[in-house]
Amino acid sequence: MALATKQSDCATQAPPTRRARVFRLALPAVGEQVLNTFVGLADTFLIGHLSWQAAQQLGYTSTDALNGVGLANQVVGLITVLFSAVGVGATAVIARSRGSKDMASANLALRQSLLIGLGMGLLSTLLMLLLAPATMDMLGAAPEVRPLGVEFLQIAALSFAPAAVLFLATSALRGAGDTKTPLWIMLVVNAINILGSWLLINGNLGAPALGVRGTAIGASAARTVGALILLAILLRSGRGGMRLSFDLRPHVEMIKRILRIGAPSGLEQLVFQGAILIFVRFVTGLGTVAYAAHNVVLNIESLSFLPGFGYAIAASALVGYNLGAGSPADAEADVYEAQIQGTLMMSALGVVMMLFPHQLISLFTPDPAVADAGANAMRLAGLFQPLLAVNFIMSGGLRGAGDTRWPLITKLISTWGVRLPLIMLMLHLGWGLTGVWIGMTFDFGVQATLAWWQFQRGKWKHQRV
């Protein structure tokens, strides 16, 4: 009787609803994105609170340090999005392989994506060690800021190869439906980064006060340890059906598959980041206080991105899996559910940003001039959160299907055709930092409209991977 009752309970137990399924996959991904972003956010917070004693010893202020780290992180961000572009290809191939029950192809994609990433990481290290001074000049760094940005960038460059492993291995696991392991890895990365930076920026507990150099060492060490732990897990026991072997021979056809999907995504980010570098020149021309305010607002705003990023990851994995399983209707329905949940979360964060701009900025810098300069920018950042949610999640669904060309087209149209010309006009009219963020608002509106339109067309359902 007990056995019959147990069998009856199992038979009547309903599978998780679509809402629950999407939420369970997205929530750890959101958490991982929070932790990934928190590396830079913690560095901004800690360097923004450079002590008076450390500043006297090092010979620069916390505002100069914020600007140096902010400019250098623009370049670090450009390098890491290239790793992420390969990750987009790996995620799409692995999710489609998992849906069709072909885990041998999924594991082959894991190995080949790591090979590509290691090559990219080592090349990037060499280039940045050589070109860091010229890069800071190109970004228009002020004389007092330039050496700080160069120092940060050259130290960060030493961890580009481990960072590539970290980004690509976590992308592979997400494609396999495992969003929990990347979350735990990023917890470790953050703990090491916060501890190292806290010790080395101001010289706590007898450590040397290294300021900007301490920030770079903490972040680089954290990403390196995270990559080593993840490699050990994948080599020893594996996760989500993914297991790494020592067979590192290049497989030309798989590399082509990954790059066919990932290359447009990488080009998309190059197009976007190229515009951002020009954009940064505009902002640095407004003065050090305006740029410090802009950098702090960007870091705070990056937290509001995270639900969108997490749900975009879930949308990519679900679309790839469902298309591999031959169910495009489920793929479409899952993306719409992800869109609803992600938009609600980001809109709630946007309301907080609009209501408490000064208080949020003051968490990262004690300088009231910086808070005053960034208040309107913070309000505008809160206003366009729903637009960002649509763009992130719909684009995530397209990438999961292998349609990475449309986001590239969107960036060309919107960032170069809307953001930059509008910002130039706003600055000409004397709107300053507020005008810069008005241009960004219109840019994100166009991106959201184009992403929604492309998803509605449905051509992604027949995309070859």
Side-chain angles (χ1 to χ4, degrees), residues 194-211:
I194 291 171
L195 178 60
S197 296
W198 179 77
L199 287 172
L200 295 175
I201 288 175
N202 287 317
N204 290 310
L205 299 181
L210 300 179

Side-chain angles (χ1 to χ4, degrees), residues 91-355:
T91 297
V93 171
I94 289 169
R96 190 75 68 97
S97 299
R98 177 172 168 262
S100 60
K101 311 300 182 186
D102 183 6
M103 292 309 294
S105 292
N107 281 295
L108 178 60
L110 168 65
R111 295 195 299 273
Q112 299 306 305
S113 65
L114 290 179
L115 275 180
I116 298 168
L118 280 172
M120 292 173 62
L122 293 172
L123 179 60
S124 299
T125 295
L126 177 62
L127 289 175
M128 281 302 102
L129 289 175
L130 296 174
L131 300 178
T135 302
M136 287 299 107
D137 290 338
M138 182 183 68
L139 292 174
E144 65 273 16
V145 170
R146 180 182 183 273
L148 304 179
V150 170
E151 183 176 48
F152 184 96
L153 189 52
Q154 289 181 332
I155 295 172
L158 298 175
S159 68
F160 282 163
V165 171
L166 184 64
F167 273 89
L168 296 174
T170 53
S171 295
L173 289 172
R174 293 188 214 108
D178 178 7
T179 54
K180 292 182 179 179
T181 301
L183 172 64
W184 290 111
I185 293 295
M186 288 311 302
L187 276 171
V188 174
V189 169
N190 271 271
I192 295 171
N193 176 60
I194 291 171
L195 178 60
S197 296
W198 179 77
L199 287 172
L200 295 175
I201 288 175
N202 287 317
N204 290 310
L205 299 181
L210 300 179
V212 167
R213 186 186 305 174
T215 307
I217 292 171
S220 298
R223 290 192 174 107
T224 300
V225 172
L228 292 174
I229 293 173
L230 195 47
L231 282 176
I233 290 172
L234 288 171
L235 284 167
R236 185 171 182 178
S237 57
R239 287 291 189 279
M242 304 296 297
R243 188 163 187 175
L244 186 63
S245 71
F246 285 103
D247 180 6
L248 298 179
R249 293 171 296 177
H251 190 283
V252 176
E253 287 305 312
M254 181 56 75
I255 290 174
K256 286 181 178 178
R257 285 183 69 187
I258 293 170
L259 293 181
R260 186 171 63 245
I261 301 166
S265 185
L267 187 55
E268 171 202 347
Q269 292 301 325
L270 282 176
V271 166
F272 181 67
Q273 293 295 330
I276 290 297
L277 293 180
I278 298 173
F279 168 70
V280 167
R281 287 297 301 265
F282 293 151
V283 181
T284 54
L286 297 173
T288 55
V289 171
Y291 183 73
H294 174 74
N295 189 43
V296 171
V297 173
L298 279 179
N299 277 280
I300 295 171
E301 184 200 27
S302 65
L303 283 176
S304 70
F305 289 178
L306 304 180
F309 286 154
Y311 277 94
I313 288 168
S316 293
L318 290 165
V319 166
Y321 177 83
N322 284 314
L323 291 181
S327 182
D330 281 335
E332 185 172 22
D334 284 345
V335 172
Y336 286 137
E337 179 58 39
Q339 184 66 73
I340 292 169
Q341 295 183 24
T343 302
L344 288 172
M345 287 188 185
M346 291 186 69
S347 297
L349 292 171
V351 170
V352 175
M353 295 163 71
M354 287 189 287
L355 292 177

